[in-house]
């Protein structure tokens, strides 16, 4: 029989049973021993069969971890030289094994000069032990090389990653965290990689969202990409108009956010534990002022409010339509009114907007008479007089009632010398018809040098 064949099939005693032993030196015993070793080192059993070096490295890493924690290994002169990015980095063997990449390179370098790299490593370990510190002989420095092709890895970021081999809490600047993450990925330095991920997830801003999301995709870090998606779901609408960085959002990420609801379908945000503290704040919102069906459907889609809230709003609208516009569900103009507004800038001489509610149409209007004089009012409009129906008026109900009782207030504000000037009418209840003078509201006249002027129109339809 071929001697190699005979050694491969050889049985050896392992424990109390005669079972297969592997001829490879990396495996300490049979399948049972390998399985037990894999479990103790948190290494997948199938992976250990495919890559026995992984098991060996994990064992060494675990040994060094214990030694480092108990401070039994003291770092003296560097015994490993790492050539990378055009630099020569001096490293110490115990710290080296926190990186799976550097550990592999080190073991390969050992294997070149000996037929038994593990025995050679054990000899080096014994030479470095505290008991031998007085009689320790100089250890020949081993040179290892690492090629880096990732453009995110800079010299500063790579140096920071190597520094983390020696210190557990190295401070990182946000400008360097992407490079450190990339360096940790190349080094297979898992603890540092997760620290970078946690730091990035806690520092998401309009200026970082793009690069952090792309990094999560590049390194297949699902936790980071999910965090980016959730952040954008919450911040896209309120920030897109003011944060120029958001124009660089990757199309794939934007598509995900726009396509999916902001919160899980099974429970609204305000019904979850994280939203309970915000309920009093959202209860103050004038949800009944949202009168368009498509807007209410959108609120239902994003799943922010409790479904019962939105059902109540829709039910109140239905009852108001049934009763000719009477808003029986609102009583106080100050806190429960429906509100619309105008922002009057210096380029306007006349500004108006058409509004529609429960089949009644009104025009809110502002007029600039001279550089300091303005007037604001609202007037009822017959649906047949609309030359070009606006989006507020089309495909909605039309009321044929000749008169509509309205309680309203018109207010205006302007900033002058860092102080706000306020103007307003009293609470007025008036029947609006289609002919003068009943079609037009009281006029609010304003004298101010402030620009812009903010005008608001608040009203309710009392029961009539």
């Amino acid at each position: 029989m071929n001697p190699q064949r005979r050694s491969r099939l050889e049985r050896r005693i392992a424990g109390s049973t005669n079972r297969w032993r592997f001829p490879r030196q990396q495996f300490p015993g049979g399948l049972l021993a390998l399985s037990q070793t894999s479990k103790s080192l948190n290494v997948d059993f199938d992976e250990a069969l495919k890559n026995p070096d992984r098991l060996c490295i994990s064992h060494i890493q675990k040994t060094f971890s214990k030694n480092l924690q108990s401070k039994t290994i003291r770092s003296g002169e560097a015994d490993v030289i790492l050539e990378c990015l055009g630099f020569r980095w001096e490293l110490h063997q115990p710290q080296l094994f926190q990186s799976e990449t550097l550990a592999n390179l080190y073991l390969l370098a050992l294997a070149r000069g000996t037929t038994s790299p593990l025995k050679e490593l054990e000899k080096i370990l014994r030479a470095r032990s505290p008991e031998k510190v007085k009689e320790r002989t100089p250890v020949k420095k081993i040179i290892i090389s690492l090629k880096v092709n990732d453009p995110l890895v800079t010299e500063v970021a790579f140096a920071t990653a190597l520094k983390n081999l020696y210190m557990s809490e190295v401070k990182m600047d946000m400008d360097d965290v992407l490079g450190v993450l990339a360096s940790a990925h190349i080094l297979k330095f898992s603890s540092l990689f997760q620290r970078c991920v946690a730091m990035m997830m806690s520092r998401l801003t309009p200026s970082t969202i793009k690069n952090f999301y792309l990094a999560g995709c590049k390194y297949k870090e699902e936790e980071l990409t999910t965090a980016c998606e959730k952040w954008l779901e919450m911040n896209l609408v309120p920030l897109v108009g003011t944060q120029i960085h958001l124009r660089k959002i990757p199309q794939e990420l934007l598509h995900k956010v726009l396509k999916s609801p902001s919160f899980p379908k099974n429970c609204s945000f305000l019904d979850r534990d994280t939203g309970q503290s915000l309920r009093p704040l959202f209860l103050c919102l004038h949800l009944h002022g949202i009168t368009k069906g498509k807007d209410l459907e959108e609120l239902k889609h994003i799943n922010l409010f409790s479904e019962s809230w939105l059902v109540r709003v829709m039910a109140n609208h239905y009852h108001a339509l049934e009763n000719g516009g009477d808003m029986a569900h609102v009583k106080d103009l100050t806190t429960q009114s429906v509100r619309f507004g105008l922002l009057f800038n210096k380029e306007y001489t006349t500004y108006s907007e058409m509004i529609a509610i429960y089949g009644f149409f009104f025009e809110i209007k502002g007029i600039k008479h001279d550089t300091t004089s303005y007037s604001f009012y609202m007037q009822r409009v017959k649906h047949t007089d609309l030359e070009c129906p606006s989006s507020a008026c089309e495909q909605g109900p039309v009321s044929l009632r000749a008169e509509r009782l309205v309680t309203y207030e018109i207010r205006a504000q302007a900033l002058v010398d860092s102080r706000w000037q306020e103007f307003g009418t009293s609470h007025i209840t008036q029947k609006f018809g289609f002919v003068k003078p009943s079609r037009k509201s009281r006029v609010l006249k304003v004298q101010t040098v402030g620009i812009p002027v903010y005008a608001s129109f608040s009203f309710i339809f009392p029961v009539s």
Side-chain angles (χ1 to χ4, degrees), residues 12-281:
R12 297 180 185 177
I13 298 296
S16 60
T17 60
N18 186 22
R19 58 180 185 266
W20 286 107
R21 279 182 63 96
F22 294 92
R24 299 201 60 174
Q25 183 182 355
Q26 287 90 338
F27 296 134
L31 284 171
L32 179 60
L34 176 62
S35 175
Q36 293 171 342
T37 304
S38 300
K39 287 181 181 179
S40 68
L41 297 173
N42 292 321
V43 175
D44 184 77
F45 181 65
D46 293 333
E47 181 65 26
L49 287 172
K50 297 175 186 176
N51 185 8
D53 289 338
R54 174 88 181 272
L55 192 67
C56 173
I57 293 169
S58 297
H59 177 68
I60 296 168
Q61 284 177 321
K62 189 171 183 179
T63 301
F64 273 125
S65 176
K66 290 181 179 179
N67 287 331
L68 288 171
Q69 288 174 5
S70 60
K71 300 181 181 179
T72 58
I73 292 181
R74 301 174 185 174
S75 297
E77 186 180 354
D79 42 20
V80 181
I81 302 295
L82 170 63
E83 295 179 341
C84 184
L85 298 175
F87 292 86
R88 291 168 65 90
W89 314 83
E90 292 191 348
L91 302 173
H92 297 78
Q93 186 196 74
Q95 287 76 16
L96 187 83
F97 280 93
Q98 296 178 75
S99 161
E100 190 173 328
T101 298
L102 297 182
N104 268 316
L105 292 173
Y106 182 70
L107 291 178
L108 288 173
L110 277 180
R112 294 190 202 104
T114 178
T115 57
S116 180
L118 291 183
K119 287 184 178 179
E120 182 69 19
L121 182 60
E122 289 175 2
K123 183 169 66 176
I124 294 173
L125 289 174
R126 285 195 298 270
R128 294 186 59 86
S129 65
E131 292 79 8
K132 305 287 184 179
V133 67
K134 292 183 180 180
E135 54 188 76
R136 184 185 301 166
T137 57
V139 178
K140 181 182 177 181
K141 293 183 179 179
I142 295 178
I143 299 176
I144 59 178
S145 298
L146 176 63
K147 291 183 179 180
V148 175
N149 297 319
D150 193 331
L152 289 178
V153 178
T154 64
E155 291 88 350
V156 172
F158 193 76
T160 302
L162 293 180
K163 190 176 181 180
N164 274 272
L165 295 172
Y166 292 83
M167 302 172 64
S168 58
E169 293 294 334
V170 176
K171 290 184 178 180
M172 286 184 285
D173 293 332
M174 284 305 299
D175 294 339
D176 298 326
V177 69
L178 274 175
V180 177
L181 178 84
S183 301
H185 180 264
I186 288 173
L187 293 171
K188 295 185 180 179
F189 190 176
S190 60
S191 61
L192 176 60
F193 187 87
Q194 292 305 319
R195 273 188 59 209
C196 291
V197 169
M199 183 175 178
M200 293 161 75
M201 289 170 59
S202 65
R203 305 287 180 85
L204 287 170
T205 65
S207 61
T208 63
I209 182 72
K210 174 193 172 183
N211 291 333
F212 287 5
Y213 175 76
L214 292 177
C217 295
K218 181 176 182 178
Y219 303 119
K220 296 180 173 58
E221 184 57 37
E222 187 175 349
E223 189 178 12
L224 178 58
T225 56
T226 300
C228 291
E229 292 170 13
K230 294 297 183 184
W231 184 92
L232 195 60
E233 285 176 357
M234 296 296 297
N235 292 278
L236 178 61
V237 172
L239 296 181
V240 71
T242 59
Q243 296 291 332
I244 195 170
H245 294 286
L246 292 181
R247 68 178 180 173
K248 300 178 181 179
I249 297 171
Q251 184 173 343
E252 175 196 355
L253 174 58
L254 188 60
H255 184 262
K256 283 183 180 178
V257 172
L258 295 177
K259 187 178 179 181
S260 63
S262 297
F263 303 103
K265 284 289 187 183
N266 59 345
C267 182
S268 70
F269 173 74
L270 294 177
D271 286 332
R272 297 164 64 191
D273 292 340
T274 53
Q276 287 294 320
S277 61
L278 299 175
R279 287 175 68 91
L281 180 65

Side-chain angles (χ1 to χ4, degrees), residues 293-399:
K294 65 177 183 179
D295 292 338
L296 290 170
E297 284 297 322
E298 183 62 25
L299 286 180
K300 182 179 178 182
H301 177 68
I302 66 174
N303 207 22
L304 175 67
F305 297 97
S306 302
E307 186 175 0
S308 60
W309 294 19
L310 300 180
V311 169
R312 190 183 309 119
V313 171
M314 288 186 278
N316 288 335
H317 289 331
Y318 177 78
H319 290 305
L321 281 169
E322 270 197 328
N323 292 277
D326 291 353
M327 299 180 182
H329 55 283
V330 296
K331 305 295 182 183
D332 182 55
L333 178 67
T334 303
T335 61
Q336 297 179 301
S337 61
V338 178
R339 293 176 294 184
F340 295 88
L342 297 178
L343 179 61
F344 213 99
N345 289 310
K346 59 183 178 181
E347 61 265 25
Y348 297 130
T349 56
T350 302
Y351 188 93
S352 67
E353 185 174 330
M354 198 67 63
I355 60 175
I357 181 167
Y358 304 142
F360 297 92
F361 303 93
F362 292 88
E363 180 187 25
I364 56 176
K365 196 167 186 176
I367 300 174
K368 182 177 181 180
H369 302 286
D370 54 47
T371 56
T372 61
S373 178
Y374 305 83
S375 61
F376 300 93
Y377 63 91
M378 59 188 287
Q379 61 184 2
R380 188 176 176 190
V381 179
K382 188 181 294 186
H383 72 282
T384 54
D385 295 337
L386 298 174
E387 296 178 2
C388 182
S390 66
S391 59
C393 309
E394 61 187 6
Q395 296 182 348
V398 174
S399 176

Side-chain angles (χ1 to χ4, degrees), residues 400-460:
L400 300 179
R401 290 182 61 170
E403 293 183 329
R404 173 67 258 176
L405 190 64
V406 181
T407 300
Y408 65 92
E409 178 187 30
I410 305 174
R411 299 183 60 81
Q413 298 181 72
L415 189 62
V416 179
D417 296 331
S418 302
R419 299 186 66 179
W420 286 100
Q421 288 184 339
E422 297 187 4
F423 310 87
T425 66
S426 58
H427 291 190
I428 303 167
T429 300
Q430 174 184 333
K431 283 186 178 180
F432 280 82
F434 292 119
V435 295
K436 294 182 180 180
S438 64
R439 68 187 300 260
K440 186 175 179 180
S441 73
R442 186 84 53 88
V443 178
L444 173 65
K445 296 181 179 180
V446 173
Q447 292 284 336
T448 182
V449 295
I451 285 290
V453 180
Y454 302 86
S456 64
F457 298 77
S458 307
F459 60 86
I460 62 174

